[in-house]
């Protein structure tokens, strides 16, 4: 049996982080007109859908994930007219556009919160969560914020604390309040009426809170996310209402970002019979390496754990639900630096990882720059960092007296800014991203790693992405075929079958700098696609080699 055919399963998503994609007016900040300049680049790449990061009016405490006005484009990104033109230009090229919907929280500068904080009886008070402190003067409970410190902030005006699971400039919305939900549905309709093609929903499993606000006994941050913040008692009711009231009236798709959604509960969100989300970006493989204190308390992991998660998730979805497949985004380090070898085998491993993303079961999502093999960056000074998560961590760690060099290494190794350095277009000042001074430092490797250079390389990473995307589209087995992991003796190999009604694919990857012997019988199959120029003659896989074999049933 195969999955039910649908356009959003066949699509390939390309994620744009607007601040870092292309600056059109020299102020150093990527903008909508900049994206407009590059729509042909996107069309040539062959992607079907753009996920546009938040471009709404925002004080940018968390780069747009703190929204001040959901109905306005931030002036740094342009105007509503620019937005309309971009949408039109994408549609003219057959590319859909999904917007980021950030409605677990607003900015503290949003008018609702400005009102809410005025007095305890303000009509907007209940748009957020307010609690008195404890008698000993501490916060209402021991919940930690995602971005260091407590999840509660005391607001002196009314002497009560408000809840913020992210920064203190991102107060959590109270979805229990029907008025809040109505406001959100109105926002969604506003954008859908413009003709956008769906939403990527930020931290969607967090919208329903455990209303007793009891202290948590969990001491590990990932466990707190999974068991306390995520999957709250009314989350499915809220999502079903949202779909019923808004989504189902449009031919659009939804993808929920899913911190804390484990494979055991995944189908509750994306089961085809649930009427909730079309798919999720689960973060299980992204959170690998998070220790008890979270991201900046790293623990070791390897390919084995990554593969196990892919296997478990595919089994959990089966024919009944759907996920997106991705290996990086704006919140995590560059995939070639994390899962590949971004030095000696950068090209090979970038291509291998692309092959993984395009051949597992799920909608592939490419993060801007991966298609040219962009890598992590190293900053020598805290001044160079921008991300609030990294800065809050660094501040807290400094205050705790930790070694500054150790802190700098952690923020360099793990920080979100690695993914946020500007897109490298050419070997020109500031990588051709801006004619001014970029809001965050360019990765100095732009001289060799850039779009222009890639466009002149017939066997480069960009050419490989284009060919791979075409290849995937010619073989529906990669969309609809079942997935079966093939265990191997080597812990450096990742091998699987995709089993379709007409075709069957055998995909093998060597995740190492050494040659590996492939102990799998490929007779009956034809080698059809790979990341080495030479056609393979034997069963020795070169470093970071990927091969795709096909046969018809
Ligand atoms: O991310 C949610 C989330 O789980 C991240 O905070 C993640 O734990 C962290 O980034 C790992 O470093 C979403 C957005 O993608 C992120 O950019 C926002 O900062 C966050 O929500 C708050 O809106
Ligand atoms: Ca600009």
């Amino acid at each position: 049996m195969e999955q039910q055919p649908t356009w959003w399963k066949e699509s390939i998503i390309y994620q744009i982080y607007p601040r870092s994609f292309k600056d059109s007016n020299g102020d150093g900040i990527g903008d909508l007109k900049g994206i407009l300049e590059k729509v042909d680049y996107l069309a040539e790449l062959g992607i079907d859908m753009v996920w546009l990061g938040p471009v709404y009016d925002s004080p940018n405490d968390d780069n747009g994930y703190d929204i001040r006005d959901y109905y306005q484009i931030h002036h740094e990104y342009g105007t509503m007219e620019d937005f309309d033109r971009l949408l039109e230009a994408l549609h003219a090229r057959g590319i859909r556009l999904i917007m980021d919907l950030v409605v677990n929280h607003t900015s503290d500068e949003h008018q609702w919160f400005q009102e809410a904080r005025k007095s305890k009886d303000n009509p907007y008070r209940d748009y957020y969560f307010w609690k008195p402190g404890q008698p000993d003067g501490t916060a209402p409970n021991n919940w930690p914020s995602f971005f260091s410190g407590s999840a509660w902030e005391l607001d002196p005006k009314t002497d009560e604390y408000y809840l913020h699971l992210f920064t203190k400039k991102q107060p959590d919305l109270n979805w229990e309040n029907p008025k809040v939900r109505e406001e959100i549905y109105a926002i969604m309709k506003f954008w859908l009426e413009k003709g956008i093609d769906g939403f990527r929903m930020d931290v969607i499993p967090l919208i329903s809170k455990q209303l007793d606000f009891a202290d948590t006994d969990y001491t590990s941050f990932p466990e707190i996310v999974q068991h306390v913040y995520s999957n709250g008692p009314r989350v499915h009711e809220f999502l079903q209402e949202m779909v019923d009231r808004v989504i189902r009236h449009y031919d659009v798709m939804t993808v929920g970002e899913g911190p804390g959604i484990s494979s055991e509960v995944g189908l509750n969100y994306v089961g085809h019979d649930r009427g909730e989300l079309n798919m999720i970006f689960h973060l299980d493989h992204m959170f690998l390496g998070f220790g008890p204190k979270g991201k900046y308390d790293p623990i070791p992991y390897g390919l084995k754990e990554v593969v196990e998660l892919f296997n478990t998730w595919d089994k959990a979805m089966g024919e009944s639900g759907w996920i997106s497949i991705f290996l990086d985004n704006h919140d995590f380090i560059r995939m070639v630096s994390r899962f590949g070898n971004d030095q000696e085998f950068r090209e090979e491993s970038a291509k291998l990882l692309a092959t993984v993303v395009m051949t597992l079961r799920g909608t592939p999502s490419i993060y801007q720059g991966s298609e040219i093999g962009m890598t992590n960056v190293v900053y020598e000074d805290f001044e160079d960092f921008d991300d609030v998560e990294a800065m809050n961590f660094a501040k807290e760690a400094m205050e705790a007296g930790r070694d500054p060099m150790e802190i700098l290494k952690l923020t360099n190794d793990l920080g979100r800014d690695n993914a946020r350095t500007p897109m490298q277009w050419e070997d020109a000042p500031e990588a051709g991203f801006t004619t001014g001074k970029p809001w965050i430092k360019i990765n100095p490797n732009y001289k060799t790693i850039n779009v222009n250079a890639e466009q002149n390389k017939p066997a480069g990473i960009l050419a490989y992405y284009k060919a791979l995307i075409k290849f995937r589209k010619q073989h529906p087995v990669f969309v609809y075929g079942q997935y079966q992991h093939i265990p191997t003796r080597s812990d450096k190999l990742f091998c699987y079958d995709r089993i379709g009604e007409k075709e069957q694919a055998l995909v093998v990857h060597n995740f190492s700098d050494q040659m590996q012997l492939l102990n799998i019988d490929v007779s009956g199959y034809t080698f059809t696609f790979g990341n080495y120029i030479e056609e393979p003659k034997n069963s020795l896989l070169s470093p970071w080699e990927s091969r795709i074999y096909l046969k018809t049933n």
Side-chain angles (χ1 to χ4, degrees), residues 17 51 62 65-66 100 102 104-105 146-147 166-167 170 200 202-203 206 221 225 257-259 283 287 290 295-296 329-332 387-389 414-416 420:
Y17 194 70
W51 152 24
D62 187 17
Y65 284 93
D66 47 322
D100 228 302
V102 189
N104 172 72
H105 44 268
F146 273 75
F147 297 151
F166 296 90
T167 77
Q170 293 169 299
R200 175 266 186 188
D202 193 59
V203 294
L206 272 52
F221 188 71
V225 173
E257 187 211 22
L283 297 183
F287 280 19
F290 280 40
K295 176 173 194 162
Y296 286 113
N329 65 27
H330 66 295
D331 289 334
F332 297 93
D387 176 28
V388 66
E389 179 185 60
L414 301 169
R416 303 196 293 184
R420 299 176 180 186

Side-chain angles (χ1 to χ4, degrees), residues 94-362:
I95 301 173
R96 290 179 159 100
L97 176 73
I98 64 173
M99 302 271 289
D100 228 302
L101 183 73
V102 189
V103 287
N104 172 72
H105 44 268
T106 67
S107 164
D108 66 336
E109 296 181 29
H110 193 288
Q111 190 218 333
W112 302 334
F113 192 77
Q114 292 296 311
E115 285 297 319
R117 74 187 339 173
K118 282 184 184 160
S119 67
K120 288 184 185 169
D121 57 7
N122 186 284
Y124 288 92
R125 188 74 171 177
D126 285 349
Y127 273 44
Y128 300 89
F129 294 103
W130 297 92
K131 293 270 172 251
Q134 311 222 33
D136 66 355
T138 56
N141 69 21
N142 66 358
W143 292 6
S145 148
F146 273 75
F147 297 151
S148 304
S150 167
W152 296 94
E153 179 73 10
L154 181 64
D155 201 36
K157 181 97 207 283
T158 52
D159 199 30
E160 280 193 332
Y161 288 80
Y162 63 88
L163 178 70
H164 63 89
L165 295 183
F166 296 90
T167 77
K168 60 175 189 249
K169 284 183 69 63
Q170 293 169 299
D172 281 56
L173 279 167
N174 175 11
W175 276 65
E176 304 291 324
N177 182 346
K179 282 198 214 131
V180 167
R181 306 208 294 278
E182 290 306 324
E183 302 262 22
I184 291 166
Y185 303 153
I187 293 165
M188 294 173 73
K189 282 186 201 149
F190 172 82
W191 291 98
L192 289 168
E193 287 299 324
K194 281 186 165 287
I196 68 160
D197 302 288
F199 293 108
R200 175 266 186 188
M201 299 184 184
D202 193 59
V203 294
I204 203 70
L206 272 52
I207 57 177
S208 161
K209 313 295 183 214
Q210 307 282 356
L211 294 175
D212 55 2
F213 294 104
D215 273 347
T216 175
D217 295 334
Y218 289 104
T219 50
S220 124
F221 188 71
E223 283 184 339
I224 296 176
V225 173
Q226 185 182 340
H227 300 291
V228 185
Y229 297 167
S230 212
N231 315 306
R234 293 182 73 190
V235 67
H236 299 295
E237 180 197 331
F238 293 157
L239 281 173
Q240 286 174 18
E241 183 185 84
M242 176 204 270
V243 169
D244 189 54
R245 291 287 309 282
V246 185
I247 296 292
R248 77 179 169 87
H249 306 283
Y250 301 86
D251 181 20
V252 295
M253 69 85 97
T254 57
V255 48
E257 187 211 22
I261 302 183
S262 69
S263 54
E264 287 99 51
V265 301
L267 274 188
N268 295 344
Y269 291 86
V270 296
H272 296 327
D273 57 347
R274 295 280 300 181
E276 296 188 22
L277 302 170
N278 293 136
M279 63 181 100
I280 48 171
F281 293 125
H282 76 75
L283 297 183
D284 275 355
H285 56 314
M286 292 290 106
F287 280 19
L288 278 174
F290 280 40
K293 293 209 183 68
K295 176 173 194 162
Y296 286 113
D297 180 23
I299 52 170
Y301 62 94
L303 178 64
K304 189 165 161 274
E305 285 82 7
V306 181
V307 168
E308 267 166 20
L309 281 171
F310 282 133
N311 293 344
T312 320
W313 268 95
D314 190 85
K315 206 172 263 157
M317 292 299 107
E319 314 310 311
S320 317
W322 197 253
I323 56 172
S324 168
I325 304 289
F326 66 101
L327 292 172
D328 60 1
N329 65 27
H330 66 295
D331 289 334
F332 297 93
I333 64 177
R334 288 278 171 187
M335 71 183 190
V336 70
S337 302
R338 180 170 187 177
F339 301 107
N341 173 341
D342 67 4
Q343 302 293 313
E344 201 189 339
F345 294 105
R346 188 184 64 89
E347 296 219 0
E348 292 81 356
S349 60
K351 292 175 185 172
L352 173 145
L353 296 169
T355 317
V356 172
V357 171
M358 295 295 169
T359 60
L360 288 175
R361 181 157 66 170

Side-chain angles (χ1 to χ4, degrees), residues 63-77:
N63 281 358
Y65 284 93
D66 47 322
I67 298 171
R68 183 163 48 201
D69 185 345
Y70 291 88
Y71 296 97
Q72 295 288 332
I73 297 290
H74 192 317
H75 63 86
E76 284 173 346
Y77 296 130

Side-chain angles (χ1 to χ4, degrees), residues 83-101:
F83 176 83
D84 294 338
R85 278 175 58 210
L86 175 61
L87 181 61
E88 205 182 338
L90 289 169
H91 282 173
R93 286 158 183 80
I95 301 173
R96 290 179 159 100
L97 176 73
I98 64 173
M99 302 271 289
D100 228 302
L101 183 73

